Amino acid sequence: MRFRINRSSNTPAHPSPEDPAPAPAVHTVEPEVVEPGVVEAPLSAHETALVRASVAVVEPLAADITVYFYAILFARYPEVRPMFPPGMDAQRGRLLRALLRIVDLVDDPENLVRFCGHLGRDHRKFGTLAAHFPAVGECLLDSLARYAGPAWTPDIAAAWTKAYGAVADVMISAAEQDEAVRPAVWPATVVHRVPRGHGIAEITVRPHLPYPYAAGQYVSVETPWWPKQWRYYSPANAPREDGTLTFHVRAVAGGAVSNALVHRAAVGDVVHLGAPMGDMVLDAAVHSDLLFVAGGTGLAPIRALVEEIARRGGRHQVDLFLGARTGAELYGVDDMLRMAQRHHWLAIRGAVSHEYVPGIRGSLPEVLTEYGPWYQHDVYLSGPVPMVVSASETLTLNGTLPEHIHHDPFDTFTGPGTAFAGRP
């Protein structure tokens, strides 16, 4: 039993990477969505139970398993080592999270195909090839077998082999389909940089090739100072006529990429962009009334969505809540207030949780409860994961359907090992 990915017969080839022309105007961009080609789960109920039981056995040893996995992978297949960053600590955690996510979805074929299709497309930027999958599958199963010990039975091995094969099929097919329509990586020149205080900088880049994306999507970025290390950022603008993208980047402690962008990047530097990802786009909305909720630099994709609504003629009513711990950290509020003055359909409220200042006080979930209900709205959440989780739970408890709550994945996966595990 194998997954398959629907293919389009009329997709054009992507432009040549040598073409230096700046991106032309892009006004309407549909997010790429790969629909599942089958509806049945890749494993039987019994096989699913075997896989999950084996995970329960090895999960307490997860750190050791990931160390062993990469050790034997690089020893047996040294040609894959250059695809990974020099430091592997973060990579090992991403591998584990990817494995657990895939196991969680193994009996949910639609979301498993979506998840693994995302992985397959995103991992093209690492140079992942179909030929790598058997090698990594071999090392993965050997690692699980070593640490499961006597619990690793022939039936469990067969179930894992089948699961890995199904996931690999999806990822390879998604990557092949993606390769037919666009490059794996876009070089982009930094054309503007503005410090905004509190460790935040606005970085504007111009891709060397056309870079179609939709407002609300997110993009992986690699800097020249930390090759093989990618981090995800959301453009703070809807597609522009000149093709540029602006990112709001906050330098985080220990964050190599964020600190390089905030403190080191200068006009003229060239970074690399991975393919745009994410379904937090305007066309996902069912209702005409929208609720936008942003914490910190989570404002970036929300700002892009507001620009997109304005471009489409303001056919939505939007309530926007901005949240921060203190008034000084209420990032971007002045810019959004100016937008609200231009657009009658946009209402903005700022909430501060840890300081007594004039206006609304409280966490964003608390404020949403006070000003709700929002069950007749589509909701877009962006910001720290705890805020997004709490706000989503609050909204659901107050009647908003989960399918009307939109946000980026809680974890994004930035190393090739996550692809081979079959999403951070």
Side-chain angles (χ1 to χ4, degrees):
M1 183 182 303
R2 299 164 71 89
F3 285 122
R4 60 182 181 273
I5 299 292
N6 292 335
R7 302 173 185 271
S8 172
S9 60
N10 59 353
T11 48
H14 61 69
S16 166
E18 284 71 34
D19 181 4
V26 179
H27 291 301
T28 301
V29 179
E30 297 294 334
E32 181 181 68
V33 176
V34 178
E35 297 295 339
V38 297
V39 295
E40 67 268 24
L43 304 183
S44 68
H46 177 63
E47 291 167 330
T48 297
L50 290 175
V51 167
R52 288 177 173 163
S54 66
V55 168
V57 171
V58 301
E59 191 169 0
L61 306 170
D64 292 336
I65 292 173
T66 55
V67 170
Y68 182 77
F69 165 77
Y70 284 114
I72 63 173
L73 175 65
F74 297 155
R76 296 177 186 178
Y77 303 98
E79 65 273 15
V80 307
R81 183 61 181 93
M83 299 169 61
F84 293 81
M88 293 294 296
D89 289 346
Q91 179 62 41
R92 296 186 187 103
R94 295 184 188 108
L95 169 63
L96 174 61
R97 291 192 295 273
L99 274 172
L100 295 176
R101 181 60 175 156
I102 287 169
V103 170
D104 184 54
L105 293 174
V106 74
D107 57 356
D108 182 357
E110 181 176 352
N111 283 318
L112 181 62
V113 169
R114 180 183 298 275
F115 181 77
C116 295
H118 167 101
L119 281 179
R121 292 186 294 273
D122 192 36
H123 280 69
R124 289 184 57 223
K125 69 192 178 202
F126 303 110
T128 305
L129 302 174
H132 294 136
F133 283 85
V136 176
E138 168 202 317
C139 295
L140 173 64
L141 268 64
D142 285 354
S143 300
L144 293 170
R146 175 185 175 91
Y147 285 89
W152 189 260
T153 66
D155 285 347
I156 288 177
W160 267 103
T161 300
K162 186 175 180 181
Y164 181 86
V167 167
D169 282 349
V170 174
M171 294 181 62
I172 293 169
S173 295
E176 289 175 348
Q177 178 177 322
D178 197 62
E179 185 178 11
V181 297
R182 60 186 182 182
V185 173
W186 287 256
T189 300
V190 176
V191 295
H192 195 55
R193 178 187 174 278
V194 181
R196 292 300 186 188
H198 299 285
I200 298 172
E202 291 185 10
I203 309 292
T204 300
V205 303
R206 178 176 286 112
H208 299 182
L209 299 169
Y211 189 85
Y213 72 100
Q217 290 190 297
Y218 57 92
V219 176
S220 53
V221 180
E222 179 195 45
T223 71
W225 307 285
W226 295 95
K228 310 299 182 184
Q229 294 198 25
W230 297 77
R231 293 297 179 268
Y232 289 99
Y233 301 100
S234 296
N237 59 283
R240 295 170 175 154
E241 291 188 359
D242 65 359
T244 59
L245 299 86
T246 297
F247 299 102
H248 295 180
V249 182
R250 183 191 300 273
V252 298
V257 176
S258 65
N259 278 279
L261 289 171
V262 172
H263 300 302
R264 188 168 182 175
V267 171
D269 288 333
V270 176
V271 300
H272 290 108
L273 310 180
M277 295 287 177
D279 301 322
M280 197 180 78
V281 296
L282 193 59
D283 289 339
V286 174
H287 298 291
S288 59
D289 291 337
L290 306 179
L291 170 64
F292 289 167
V293 184
T297 52
L299 177 61
I302 300 299
R303 189 189 186 285
L305 288 166
V306 170
E307 280 193 2
E308 179 64 14
I309 293 169
R311 189 194 64 78
R312 297 187 183 190
R315 293 192 293 271
H316 294 275
Q317 289 297 128
V318 178
D319 285 278
L320 169 59
F321 287 83
L322 305 175
R325 291 169 52 88
T326 68
E329 296 173 352
L330 204 56
Y331 169 75
V333 65
D334 291 341
D335 182 33
M336 299 310 300
L337 286 172
R338 286 191 292 270
M339 296 181 77
Q341 291 174 350
R342 295 196 299 269
H343 306 301
H344 65 87
W345 41 264
L346 177 61
I348 298 178
R349 299 177 181 89
V352 173
S353 60
H354 288 68
E355 183 181 43
Y356 288 96
V357 295
I360 304 173
R361 186 173 188 277
S363 68
L364 283 171
E366 292 169 343
V367 173
L368 292 176
T369 299
E370 179 182 351
Y371 281 83
W374 306 101
Y375 59 85
Q376 292 183 326
H377 291 66
D378 270 87
V379 182
Y380 291 76
L381 306 173
S382 183
V385 170
M387 182 279 287
V388 172
V389 171
S390 181
S392 182
E393 291 174 348
T394 297
L395 291 161
T396 302
L397 288 173
N398 285 279
T400 303
L401 295 176
E403 57 264 34
H404 295 164
I405 300 175
H406 314 280
H407 54 75
D408 285 340
F410 290 136
D411 195 10
T412 50
F413 302 94
T414 57
T418 59
F420 301 151
R423 357 238 346 226

